[in-house]
Amino acid sequence: MTSNDEGNTLEKGIFKEDLEVKILDSKETILTKDKTSRIQFHPFIYFYFIAEGSGTFFIENDSIKVRQNDLVIINSNIGHNLYVDGDEYSCRILGFGLESIGVSKKARDSSDDTDIDLENFFHLPCQAAGDSVLYAFNNIIEEFNSDKPFARTMANALASIFIVNFMRYNNQGLKVIDDINVNRQIDYIKSYIDNNYASDIKLEDLSSIAYMNKFHIIAEFKQSYRVTPIEYLILKRIEISKGLLISTNHSMDQIADIVGFNSQSYFNQVFKKKVGITPSQFRKKHRL
């Protein structure tokens, strides 16, 4: 992040001319083998920095190994959670979420700035710049959570400086884009699924609680979260079952029942389709 030549390799015009940064959430999280993160769907982009330790990020159907000084950027409405590595006691993560922006990657073989490779996340090792990134994240979190005068304004300013410097000197050809706020009714539906995933939820139920036509729900939910409500329900159940497979001795029948699948065979079928391996294989591979 020190060479002007690196900045010049990025084509002129692929970034937003003006960047308005507003932090919606900023915190430090310490995870242990006994305290893994639950699946999260932030309706805004989130920047994570691994300050200490190592682990595995599960992001939708992908998994990535992360270690100290790695930066992970996850765009809005992408389900994700983190498990601490088996040989680590804990993992310390710093993070902040920003309103109304996203990050995309410009297609390398295209001169058209509108041709964008949409990706759910970016994993960027920052080993050489680890100290400066850690300093920036610590300052952002401290200001955001302090009671000093104009603390939120200062936090937004610090986040702006970090984003601008990062975008100028990274060599990934990244682009800041406008994001769309989540429809409140759709957000309510997601929250309902989050809290009732073990229930027998049908589209008709969601239509009733949101006062929306079920076909409209499917279209709007997919636009906001990139999956249909029922697909999200299945992903939610899969993520909860992953935690149970790792942290409990429950049988497959018990886990299937807890998360809302109507049979063990259907649980096995769906899990293997989404994760690539059976629940038993996952437990054996990731058991703490």
Side-chain angles (χ1 to χ4, degrees):
M1 292 188 180
T2 58
S3 171
N4 287 332
D5 292 335
E6 287 181 348
N8 291 335
T9 62
L10 299 177
E11 297 181 34
K12 183 177 180 181
I14 69 171
F15 301 110
K16 287 181 62 178
E17 293 183 0
D18 296 308
L19 181 62
E20 297 180 5
V21 169
K22 181 180 180 181
I23 300 179
L24 300 179
D25 182 62
S26 184
K27 61 189 174 185
E28 172 185 301
T29 304
I30 298 178
L31 301 175
T32 66
K33 296 177 182 179
D34 300 322
K35 182 187 176 184
T36 55
S37 68
R38 298 188 63 179
I39 185 172
Q40 301 180 66
F41 277 81
H42 297 298
F44 44 86
I45 192 171
Y46 218 97
F47 290 75
Y48 291 100
F49 181 70
I50 312 302
E52 296 176 13
S54 60
T56 301
F57 249 119
F58 291 96
I59 307 173
E60 296 272 312
N61 294 326
D62 296 304
S63 63
I64 56 171
K65 297 289 291 185
V66 292
R67 62 189 179 111
Q68 186 176 9
N69 293 328
D70 278 6
L71 178 67
V72 179
I73 305 172
I74 302 179
N75 277 316
S76 64
N77 307 318
I78 302 300
H80 60 278
N81 61 335
L82 177 67
Y83 287 94
V84 178
D85 271 351
D87 55 352
E88 295 277 0
Y89 174 73
S90 65
C91 186
R92 184 165 69 96
I93 306 102
L94 309 179
F96 60 87
L98 303 179
E99 180 183 55
S100 300
I101 69 168
V103 171
S104 289
K105 189 174 184 179
K106 185 177 184 296
R108 294 182 178 180
D109 58 351
S110 172
S111 59
D112 182 1
D113 290 342
T114 64
D115 186 6
I116 301 299
D117 288 334
L118 296 177
E119 298 187 30
N120 292 341
F121 68 92
F122 295 91
H123 176 210
L124 306 168
C126 298
Q127 308 307 314
D131 289 343
S132 61
V133 177
L134 176 62
Y135 180 78
F137 271 70
N138 276 328
N139 283 343
I140 291 168
I141 292 172
E142 180 181 353
E143 285 292 341
F144 183 82
N145 295 287
S146 78
D147 56 1
K148 298 176 183 177
F150 310 112
R152 293 296 173 91
T153 302
M154 177 62 78
N156 291 338
L158 292 171
S160 297
I161 292 170
F162 172 79
I163 299 296
V164 170
N165 282 329
F166 173 74
M167 288 297 172
R168 283 180 175 178
Y169 299 116
N170 83 85
N171 59 4
Q172 301 289 321
L174 301 183
K175 172 189 174 86
V176 176
I177 61 174
D178 289 313
D179 200 5
I180 300 174
N181 290 329
V182 180
N183 181 286
R184 289 187 179 183
Q185 288 171 289
I186 298 302
D187 197 32
Y188 174 72
I189 290 173
K190 188 193 83 70
S191 296
Y192 179 85
I193 295 174
D194 287 340
N195 293 322
N196 299 277
Y197 60 84
S199 302
D200 184 19
I201 299 175
K202 295 182 173 62
L203 276 174
E204 288 77 11
D205 302 323
L206 301 178
S207 177
S208 176
I209 65 172
Y211 301 98
M212 292 174 65
N213 178 279
K214 63 181 180 180
F215 299 106
H216 188 205
I217 289 175
I218 292 173
E220 291 296 323
F221 197 100
K222 193 166 186 177
Q223 181 177 345
S224 295
Y225 292 99
R226 308 184 191 187
V227 292
T228 68
I230 300 304
E231 287 170 341
Y232 174 76
L233 171 62
I234 291 173
L235 290 172
K236 179 73 176 180
R237 289 172 173 173
I238 292 295
E239 292 304 324
I240 297 298
S241 68
K242 285 179 180 178
L244 294 172
L245 288 165
I246 291 174
S247 62
T248 75
N249 292 317
H250 294 330
S251 69
M252 298 304 161
D253 273 334
Q254 289 175 310
I255 293 176
D257 183 65
I258 290 171
V259 300
F261 289 106
N262 56 23
S263 69
Q264 179 186 337
S265 61
Y266 183 57
F267 171 47
N268 289 340
Q269 175 187 345
V270 173
F271 192 100
K272 185 172 183 179
K273 182 179 180 180
K274 296 297 184 183
V275 182
I277 56 178
T278 66
S280 297
Q281 291 169 332
F282 181 90
R283 171 175 273 176
K284 184 176 180 180
K285 182 178 180 181
H286 295 282
R287 193 64 187 243
L288 298 180

